[in-house]
Amino acid sequence: MRISVLGLGYVGCVSAACLAGMGHEVIGVDVNPTKVDLVNDGKAPVVEERIGELVAEGVRTGALRATVDVREAIMGSEVSLVCVGTPSEPNGSLCTTYLERVTEQIGAAVAERGGRHTVVFRSTMLPGTCLNLLVPILEKHVGTAGVDFGIAVNPEFLREGTSVRDFFDPPKTVIGELDPASGDVVAALYDGLPGEVFRMPVPTAEAIKYADNAFHGLKIGFANELGAVCQALGVDAHQVMDVFLADRKLNISPAYLRPGFAFGGSCLPKDLRSLLYAAQRADVSLPILAHVLPSNSTHLQRAVELVERAGKRRVGLFGLSFKPGTDDLRESPLVELAERLLGKGYDLRIHDANVSLSRLLGANREYIETRLPHIAQLLVDSVDEVLGHADVCLVGTRDPAVLAALPRGDGTVLIDLIRMPDAEARRTEPGYVGLVW
């Protein structure tokens, strides 16, 4: 394919050289003439393992060249990869100046060139940037996106220092496509590379890069904070982490990484508090871990706010234990949710098939009687009793009997805390509200 790559920084230079190495015909573009001259001399403008030899080989075979002229590059290509920088503004917001400028130039050149051209954004940008900001710029010049020209978002997952290796052995290929033809063009660029290919709506693709980088930063911060508190307590943090990393069932796995409701139970909150107290006594600051419980509480409050927005006073809650398959109520987020709703004066009924007051014992019974003194008046024995009472139902359980009985389209507001199995089908129905999508 004939490809123009706009921006010859780390992402653009590596993308251009590697695509040329795969047999494509590539024109690199940059406003910096020094970078352009270096590429045309067969030299890489960035320092990366193997990049020098790839650039030299691409230029030698004629597969790679560079220019400062966007128009020239567009005229000589059928697909453009936009790899310009999106730095932070002083207030932390995303700077889209370079994106807007180059998109304007691409639009003008594509209008002059004629024919369908596919514009693929590799730059990291917040969800909505492509469709709400950049597509209108192109449509001003060219016509209708997805019809007169192609649009896609293709985030990169290249680590500086190993970016060439990452390009040829990617963890995944993400294609945010406005239309299937646009996605087909991007998929063809990487034909033959390993790794799973994910095709999805444009905003989803934009968000994935942020999910990755936020989690990577969180992992590093977590490891460093754990190392600091372990050292203060006289424990070998690397030995702790070796065992932690060996657990591929719960720790290094998909476990707990699905958006849903708040966490609770007799272990997680208690142990976080204990660790934070030990760190405080040792004079060690743990800002990430210190904010886990407040973050959890804030997420729980989002459910309360959804009830408030419904504007109705009669509320039903399905589920009370801290997780399915147990009657353990200690530090259950659903108990906390019930407590907050009662405190705001809502008329509440609760059903949990696993929770029976006559069977609750010891600390479990003591906890619920302390937090919800009138629990006997709130708990009901059947799903129908809750449905007959409530104008707003909070679904916090996957009990099949509950899910099968939930109404559709009768005016009841359903607040889904667990992403029900039929959530996708219900999503467009009046009254259905998902806590997290």
Side-chain angles (χ1 to χ4, degrees), residues 27 34 88 93 98 102 178 212 313 330 338 350 356 402:
I27 309 173
T34 302
S88 292
S93 65
Y98 308 116
V102 76
L178 188 63
D212 282 25
R313 304 305 300 176
R330 291 171 295 173
I350 304 169
S356 169
V402 171

Side-chain angles (χ1 to χ4, degrees), residues 387 393 405-410 412 414 426 429:
L387 293 176
C393 287
L406 291 175
R408 305 188 81 135
D410 72 344
T412 303
L414 290 182
R426 286 183 178 268
E429 293 180 0

Side-chain angles (χ1 to χ4, degrees), residues 407-420:
R408 305 188 81 135
D410 72 344
T412 303
V413 176
L414 290 182
I415 299 177
D416 182 359
L417 305 178
I418 57 156
R419 193 174 174 96
M420 297 185 291

Side-chain angles (χ1 to χ4, degrees), residues 10 47-48 158-163 166:
Y10 277 90
V47 176
E48 279 288 318
L158 308 175
R159 297 167 295 171
E160 290 189 25
T162 60
S163 57
D166 291 340

Side-chain angles (χ1 to χ4, degrees), residues 91-104:
N91 66 358
S93 65
L94 190 74
C95 174
T96 59
T97 302
Y98 308 116
L99 274 173
E100 293 174 67
R101 185 181 301 158
V102 76
T103 301
E104 189 80 48

Side-chain angles (χ1 to χ4, degrees), residues 10 14 44 46-53 159-165:
Y10 277 90
V14 170
V46 298
V47 176
E48 279 288 318
E49 182 183 282
R50 286 186 58 201
I51 192 64
E53 60 195 74
R159 297 167 295 171
E160 290 189 25
T162 60
S163 57
V164 172
R165 269 183 283 160

